[in-house]
Amino acid sequence: MRKFLIFISCYFLSISFSSAGNRTDKNILIPAAAHTRIKFGAERILKALNKIGYQTRIMQQAKAGGSKPGIVIGIFSDAIIAGKLPAAVKNTIATAKKEAYTIFTDKNGTIYIAGHDASGTLYGCIELADRIHDTRKLPTALSLTDQPEMVLRGTCIGLQKPDYLPGHDVYEYPYTPETFPWLYDKALWIKYLDMMVENRYNSLYLWNGHPFSSLLRLKAYPYAVEVDNATLKKNEEIFRFLTHEADKRGIWVIQMFYNIIIPKPFADKHGLKTQDRNRPIIPLIADYTKKSITAFVEKYPNVGLMVALGEAMEGVGQDDIDWFTKTIIPGVKDGLKAAGIKEEPPIVLRAHDTDAPSVMKAALPLYKNLYTENKFNGEALTTYTPRGAWAELNRKLAAIGTVNISNVHILANLEPFRYGSADFIQKSVQAMNKIYGAKGLHLYPQASYWDWPYAADDVKGRLLEVDRDWIWYKEWGRYSWNSQRDRTQEINYWGKALADKYGTSLMGGKAILNAYEESGEISPKLLRRYGITDGNRQTLTLGMLMTQLINPYRYGVFTLMYESEAPEGEMIIDYAEKEFKKLGHIGETPVQIAREVVVHGQKALAAIQNAAPTVTKDTAEFNRLKNDMYCYDAMANFYAEKVKAALWILRYKYSNNVADLDQALPFLEKSVAYYANLVKYTERTYLYANSMQTKQRKIPMRGVDKTFIHWREMLPVFTRELNHFKHSIDSLKSVKQGETAKIINYKAAAVQILNHKATYVIAKEAVVFSDTTVKIKELADELQGLKGIQLSKASQIKNGTEIKFSTAQSVKLLVGFFNQKNPQYLAAPQLETDASANNYGQSEIKISNALVATGFPPVNIHAYAFPAGTHTLNLGKGACLVLGFIDDKQELRIFNAGLDGHGKDIDWLFE
């Protein structure tokens, strides 16, 4: 049960409101030494009263007495208010938690707003101002006490871009007017901060790879700064402005940074890479980072820090613990000491790609004001019933004893279409509380994170994301304050809010809400049942290739999404196999979801069409919202028809009956037709589907240099896929019995290996490690004869793998990863946890199940591409097979060699 009480006093028996004739003298009294948040709250009430005709002013005095003000505002213990509250009310607010407030009207009609602290007083002022605004009257009888469920309720803004800056890697974006002109727009910051306080958010996260080199110059490393002197001064000024304005609104600014990223000037001077996941901690980088944090805390003492130990460091391990406890926390403490400050700013430990419980165990004896943060549904929104290992991790974080924050991250399956399902969001916040034990919210923009502050809509002058997605922020803010609101009342609340926005009736507003909520089920259901990943390497709204549906493991399927971020159910490949073998099904099935999303699309369209004739305000935005419902409907039908086709195609894998492919063809044709409709709805309405437009994007197509970012680019791909399938069916019907495709072996490239002498020829019975007798049992014919590097398995596990080589031509290095999760095996490149996982084009599996070594799981082959020259490749700790170099020009046909015993490869039907 929530620990706030709603007091309904006898005053509510005869609620009346001030008449217009009395709107002359309603002064507001605040303490003489009022906190800036109390002043800000009082000003909000003053503006609300002035708008409805009151002559109002704010007065300050040290104690009660004197004039008879209409409204008295302060902390419950302030002299002007302490003796005026009934004992029960005062006791309630005194024993409440942070940010609680009470509003009470005495028998003389004076309204008292008493907060447990300055933030609570501020929220009480906002509540009263809202009521004045909504009713255009000043209530004459109020008695209520309230406080939030979530301790931290925050939004985030990325100081990042859709593509890389010249000479920089992922996340590396110095703060400059050229790169982020909006950063210096004070009016935009005020607009955004006002949105936050109106929705009761109390934390703002700024995301950047390495912000310190844009915000300060170190005496020990003056060359590390990445901006010129004039820009540095601008950055300091805007950062002080932002933190000051945020503090007035009860908002903590929390600066996020990745570890270990160093600024380019520093890296260049010392001959280092700006980031290297497999680099050990070296004293020079540790000293620079510690001094950066110390200077930052001393300069900006009221700013918190969010620490991402993963991605730019080697995953889970002792390095994470050492870096946090020996570099970051000492840096913060030194900064506090230098500034003469005793109050610890919050440090949020991001649990992504690190063993957060172990890190926290080591850190808590050193620093108390710690929080943890973990993703809610990965980098998407898929379910309000999380389960499995991910739910267990979140519960473990919550059990540490500090606050665990749920992060609604990236939303790669939602962008760019509008999302506003109050029902889904309310249930999600309830899940954070009940299933995860989380007491904080960290909310990403609903869309366009990488292109903030703009939305993707093709509108002259661009739309601001904060304006377009107002309902996203309002819904998460409302439910992070109180997720236990009555559903029937919530339908009325949102119906009225939408009616007011679009100038329609309550019935019309509810119809718009219904459209939001029906469409709001489509993307979550599609991704959790058909997707490859919950990460932003997949753009769901652009569609999926047939090979991605029928052979997801080839594309590095992220199984945690199915195991934890979805209700229990079946993947397409599992359902098809069970159908053919006449086995029973479990939970949510692909066929069920195909039916459901089509119905959701139909209902969303019917609801928005029902509301359309009644809309009288903001018609341009309503028409964009309406068009999004058509987009959702077309997308739902595209996926539904394609999944029906996929199930017949997978049946062919077992039956070898071409008639099954004939059954699939009409569904695939319908799917392409629905996609053509989706192109029509987006052609002139959207600039892009995905705001991240770099090589990290892989699904449905590899995105490089802003390619495959719009639906019009994907329609020819799906059309070719359909035509190839038709051709494959014709070929199967005409092929001669026993005819097989010719196998072309890979040819070893001439490469000089500089740090290893032991090699071996890839063949059956070849010994793969220098310190074991493990031999190759089976292998794909294409690998036969390549020249592998024979490495020590024990050394790989303890130290990792380093390959130094020189080549006169462009080459690819083939590396084999064991297809099983095991601490002793090197994990395959995975963009979900490592942003550098495609720097060499290595993230995609080239040959699935290509080799089997005795006593080991099957091996998947990945390829690392290098130009001519001398190179060093560092791989993480764990056993893998280095299978040799081939010419970069040699074709690498992607296929499944099938050595895992799960059937033949049928991807050739489409490519």
Side-chain angles (χ1 to χ4, degrees):
M1 294 291 292
R2 298 180 65 234
K3 294 184 178 180
F4 75 85
L5 299 175
I6 304 297
F7 290 92
I8 306 298
S9 74
C10 60
Y11 295 104
F12 276 107
L13 296 175
S14 57
I15 293 177
S16 61
F17 296 94
S18 301
S19 65
N22 293 329
R23 295 180 182 181
T24 56
D25 185 17
K26 284 292 180 182
N27 292 329
I28 300 170
L29 179 63
I30 63 175
H35 192 286
T36 183
R37 295 173 194 171
I38 296 175
K39 292 178 181 177
F40 182 85
E43 288 167 1
R44 283 301 176 101
I45 295 174
L46 182 143
K47 290 177 183 176
L49 289 172
N50 286 347
K51 278 187 178 180
I52 61 171
Y54 281 95
Q55 300 298 313
T56 308
R57 65 192 177 105
I58 297 174
M59 303 183 302
Q60 291 184 258
Q61 62 186 52
K63 15 177 156 174
S67 62
K68 294 183 179 179
I71 304 170
V72 182
I73 301 170
I75 297 171
F76 75 94
S77 56
D78 287 336
I80 64 170
I81 206 167
K84 302 296 183 179
L85 297 176
V89 174
K90 185 177 179 181
N91 183 63
T92 297
I93 192 63
T95 56
K97 293 183 179 179
K98 291 181 179 180
E99 301 183 318
Y101 66 84
T102 189
I103 304 177
F104 175 78
T105 308
D106 70 9
K107 61 184 180 181
N108 298 318
T110 301
I111 298 174
Y112 292 88
I113 301 174
H116 177 81
D117 49 26
S119 289
T121 306
L122 168 64
Y123 292 133
C125 292
I126 298 294
E127 176 66 24
L128 181 59
D130 284 350
R131 291 183 180 227
I132 295 168
H133 177 269
D134 291 344
T135 63
R136 298 197 60 77
K137 295 177 182 178
L138 177 65
T140 58
L142 281 174
S143 182
L144 63 90
T145 299
D146 202 1
Q147 69 182 41
E149 283 181 2
M150 293 289 198
V151 174
L152 281 179
R153 307 169 304 283
T155 64
C156 92
I157 291 174
L159 279 102
Q160 309 196 59
K161 302 292 287 183
D163 48 4
Y164 295 170
L165 295 180
H168 287 80
D169 209 333
V170 62
Y171 305 132
E172 296 175 12
Y173 301 101
Y175 298 175
T176 69
E178 296 76 25
T179 304
F180 301 110
W182 57 264
L183 175 63
Y184 309 91
D185 185 343
K186 292 182 179 180
L188 177 61
W189 278 121
I190 294 298
K191 178 187 183 73
Y192 189 84
L193 293 171
D194 282 347
M195 177 280 295
M196 291 186 69
V197 72
E198 285 160 10
N199 290 308
R200 281 56 164 184
Y201 290 111
N202 65 3
S203 45
L204 169 62
Y205 299 81
L206 303 178
W207 280 63
N208 185 269
H210 187 79
F212 309 118
S213 56
S214 294
L215 293 169
L216 46 88
R217 186 186 299 276
L218 300 179
K219 292 180 181 178
Y221 302 100
Y223 51 85
V225 70
E226 291 196 87
V227 297
D228 58 38
N229 288 335
T231 301
L232 181 60
K233 287 181 180 179
K234 285 183 179 179
N235 292 347
E236 291 171 339
E237 197 275 331
I238 196 66
F239 210 73
R240 287 196 181 98
F241 168 82
L242 171 60
T243 54
H244 173 72
E245 290 296 329
D247 184 52
K248 280 166 47 175
R249 294 163 175 80
I251 298 167
W252 267 102
V253 174
I254 299 175
Q255 178 66 65
M256 176 270 184
F257 61 102
Y258 282 95
N259 295 275
I260 304 171
I261 295 179
I262 54 178
K264 186 169 173 52
F266 180 91
D268 290 346
K269 182 175 177 64
H270 295 285
L272 300 166
K273 292 181 179 180
T274 54
Q275 50 185 298
D276 184 349
R277 182 177 173 85
N278 299 305
R279 175 173 55 203
I281 295 172
I282 62 175
L284 174 67
I285 294 179
D287 185 65
Y288 163 75
T289 305
K290 181 182 175 183
K291 283 183 167 65
S292 294
I293 293 169
T294 295
F296 180 83
V297 171
E298 182 180 3
K299 195 168 191 175
Y300 307 106
N302 60 333
V303 178
L305 292 171
M306 172 181 251
V307 181
L309 293 177
E311 288 202 58
M313 284 183 75
E314 181 191 354
V316 175
Q318 185 63 37
D319 280 0
D320 288 10
I321 296 173
D322 290 345
W323 189 252
F324 195 60
T325 59
K326 296 179 181 180
T327 297
I328 292 171
I329 289 178
V332 173
K333 295 176 84 170
D334 286 352
L336 292 173
K337 183 178 179 181
I341 296 172
K342 293 184 178 180
E343 183 183 0
E344 294 178 340
I347 301 178
V348 182
L349 173 65
R350 191 179 180 215
H352 175 68
D353 195 30
T354 191
D355 182 358
S358 296
V359 175
M360 288 289 284
K361 183 178 180 181
L364 276 169
L366 307 175
Y367 197 92
K368 297 305 178 187
N369 197 15
L370 295 178
Y371 300 77
T372 55
E373 179 260 24
N374 203 28
K375 294 173 181 174
F376 177 59
N377 286 165
E379 296 179 348
L381 189 63
T382 57
T383 186
Y384 43 77
T385 58
R387 60 193 177 92
W390 199 245
E392 186 57 37
L393 171 60
N394 278 279
R395 285 192 289 268
K396 192 173 182 180
L397 293 172
I400 290 172
T402 58
V403 170
N404 185 39
I405 302 164
S406 272
N407 175 209
V408 181
H409 195 85
I410 291 290
L411 293 314
N413 66 325
L414 301 189
E415 72 170 346
F417 307 138
R418 287 158 178 77
Y419 190 93
S421 174
D423 184 44
F424 203 107
I425 289 172
Q426 182 175 14
K427 289 174 179 175
S428 293
V429 180
Q430 290 171 347
M432 292 174 185
N433 277 292
K434 295 177 181 177
I435 299 176
Y436 284 175
K439 290 300 176 185
L441 170 72
H442 177 191
L443 181 69
Y444 264 55
Q446 189 252 297
S448 303
Y449 166 76
W450 300 93
D451 196 22
W452 205 89
Y454 301 111
D457 301 73
D458 189 357
V459 175
K460 188 176 181 181
R462 302 294 299 271
L463 292 179
L464 290 174
E465 186 274 338
V466 67
D467 286 337
R468 193 200 83 150
D469 298 327
W470 65 276
I471 197 168
W472 173 261
Y473 293 107
K474 194 171 184 68
E475 287 173 344
W476 286 102
R478 182 170 175 81
Y479 297 122
S480 62
W481 183 276
N482 177 8
S483 67
Q484 303 304 314
R485 301 176 192 269
D486 176 75
R487 171 66 177 155
T488 301
Q489 292 178 10
E490 289 305 286
I491 292 173
N492 288 327
Y493 174 86
W494 293 112
K496 181 181 183 304
L498 289 162
D500 291 345
K501 178 172 177 60
Y502 293 113
T504 182
S505 63
L506 180 60
M507 185 178 296
K510 288 183 178 181
I512 298 170
L513 175 65
N514 190 28
Y516 267 127
E517 295 192 336
E518 291 293 344
S519 64
E521 294 286 341
I522 293 172
S523 287
K525 287 184 175 181
L526 289 175
L527 187 69
R528 76 190 189 207
R529 198 48 55 206
Y530 308 147
I532 296 294
T533 173
D534 64 10
N536 61 185
R537 67 183 170 102
Q538 173 164 5
T539 305
L540 179 84
T541 56
L542 280 178
M544 291 174 67
L545 304 177
M546 182 59 79
T547 53
Q548 290 159 355
L549 295 176
I550 66 173
N551 188 10
Y553 286 98
R554 163 182 160 182
Y555 296 91
V557 65
F558 192 62
T559 55
L560 185 70
M561 179 175 66
Y562 289 95
E563 296 160 357
S564 286
E565 297 159 10
E568 185 177 22
E570 296 174 355
M571 297 173 66
I572 293 173
I573 53 175
D574 298 326
Y575 182 90
E577 182 178 6
K578 287 183 175 183
E579 275 290 287
F580 185 78
K581 295 178 179 179
K582 301 188 184 307
L583 302 174
H585 297 290
I586 298 173
E588 190 177 77
T589 69
V591 172
Q592 170 193 341
I593 292 303
R595 288 194 303 263
E596 289 180 3
V597 295
V598 168
V599 172
H600 287 310
Q602 291 170 344
K603 289 182 176 180
L605 274 184
I608 206 73
Q609 289 166 349
N610 183 45
T614 68
V615 169
T616 61
K617 283 170 53 181
D618 208 353
T619 54
E621 173 58 19
F622 177 81
N623 287 332
R624 288 189 285 267
L625 173 62
K626 180 180 176 183
N627 187 68
D628 278 357
M629 298 304 143
Y630 282 90
C631 292
Y632 273 118
D633 179 65
M635 181 177 70
N637 280 283
F638 160 79
Y639 272 104
E641 297 300 324
K642 197 155 192 171
V643 166
K644 294 173 190 174
L647 291 171
W648 280 107
I649 291 160
L650 285 166
R651 182 177 179 84
Y652 165 77
K653 179 177 179 178
Y654 301 102
S655 71
N656 212 31
N657 186 346
V658 179
D660 290 336
L661 301 181
D662 286 330
Q663 293 279 1
L665 184 57
F667 295 118
L668 192 56
E669 288 174 328
K670 287 181 184 178
S671 176
V672 174
Y674 279 117
Y675 199 86
N677 287 338
L678 183 56
V679 173
K680 180 180 68 174
Y681 298 135
T682 57
E683 181 72 32
R684 298 180 183 277
T685 58
Y686 279 104
L687 298 170
Y688 54 75
N690 40 19
S691 60
M692 188 179 74
Q693 297 163 7
T694 68
K695 59 189 176 184
Q696 268 70 34
R697 292 187 303 108
K698 302 290 291 182
I699 314 297
M701 297 291 285
R702 184 167 181 253
V704 181
D705 299 329
K706 300 188 177 183
T707 54
F708 295 107
I709 64 174
H710 199 281
W711 300 265
R712 73 172 78 91
E713 296 174 90
M714 286 304 304
L715 182 58
V717 175
F718 293 133
T719 302
R720 285 195 299 272
E721 186 181 62
L722 172 62
N723 292 336
H724 195 289
F725 182 56
K726 290 178 180 178
H727 178 74
S728 296
I729 294 174
D730 291 341
S731 298
L732 283 169
K733 290 178 177 178
S734 60
V735 72
K736 295 179 181 178
Q737 194 68 26
E739 190 174 307
T740 58
K742 184 180 179 182
I743 293 173
I744 301 175
N745 285 27
Y746 302 137
K747 293 181 180 179
V751 170
Q752 183 181 3
I753 302 166
L754 303 177
N755 65 332
H756 298 285
K757 293 182 179 179
T759 61
Y760 67 105
V761 176
I762 308 299
K764 284 187 179 182
E765 300 300 312
V767 176
V768 295
F769 298 115
S770 62
D771 56 346
T772 75
T773 59
V774 174
K775 297 179 180 181
I776 295 176
K777 182 179 177 183
E778 299 287 344
L779 76 159
D781 292 335
E782 287 84 350
L783 300 175
Q784 191 83 31
L786 286 179
K787 186 179 180 181
I789 302 175
Q790 197 176 56
L791 302 168
S792 162
K793 175 173 173 278
S795 178
Q796 284 187 312
I797 294 170
K798 182 179 179 181
N799 305 313
T801 301
E802 182 180 76
I803 308 295
K804 295 183 178 180
F805 64 95
S806 182
T807 174
Q809 66 191 77
S810 297
V811 294
K812 288 188 180 81
L813 173 61
L814 304 186
V815 178
F817 294 86
F818 295 107
N819 190 9
Q820 186 182 90
K821 291 182 180 179
N822 186 313
Q824 292 199 339
Y825 301 151
L826 177 64
Q830 191 173 73
L831 284 164
E832 282 78 9
T833 55
D834 178 9
S836 65
N838 201 41
N839 282 1
Y840 304 96
Q842 77 271 30
S843 67
E844 186 174 59
I845 299 173
K846 299 300 182 183
I847 311 176
S848 306
N849 306 299
L851 182 150
V852 178
T854 305
F856 283 77
V859 169
N860 294 332
I861 307 297
H862 293 247
Y864 292 70
F866 297 91
T870 300
H871 305 279
T872 299
L873 175 65
N874 283 309
L875 300 172
K877 296 175 183 177
C880 66
L881 302 181
V882 181
L883 299 169
F885 294 87
I886 65 172
D887 191 307
D888 187 52
K889 295 179 182 177
Q890 186 163 4
E891 182 183 2
L892 266 177
R893 185 178 76 84
I894 299 173
F895 69 100
N896 182 1
L899 299 183
D900 60 344
H902 287 298
K904 62 186 179 182
D905 170 34
I906 57 171
D907 292 9
W908 54 267
L909 288 166
F910 300 94
E911 54 191 27

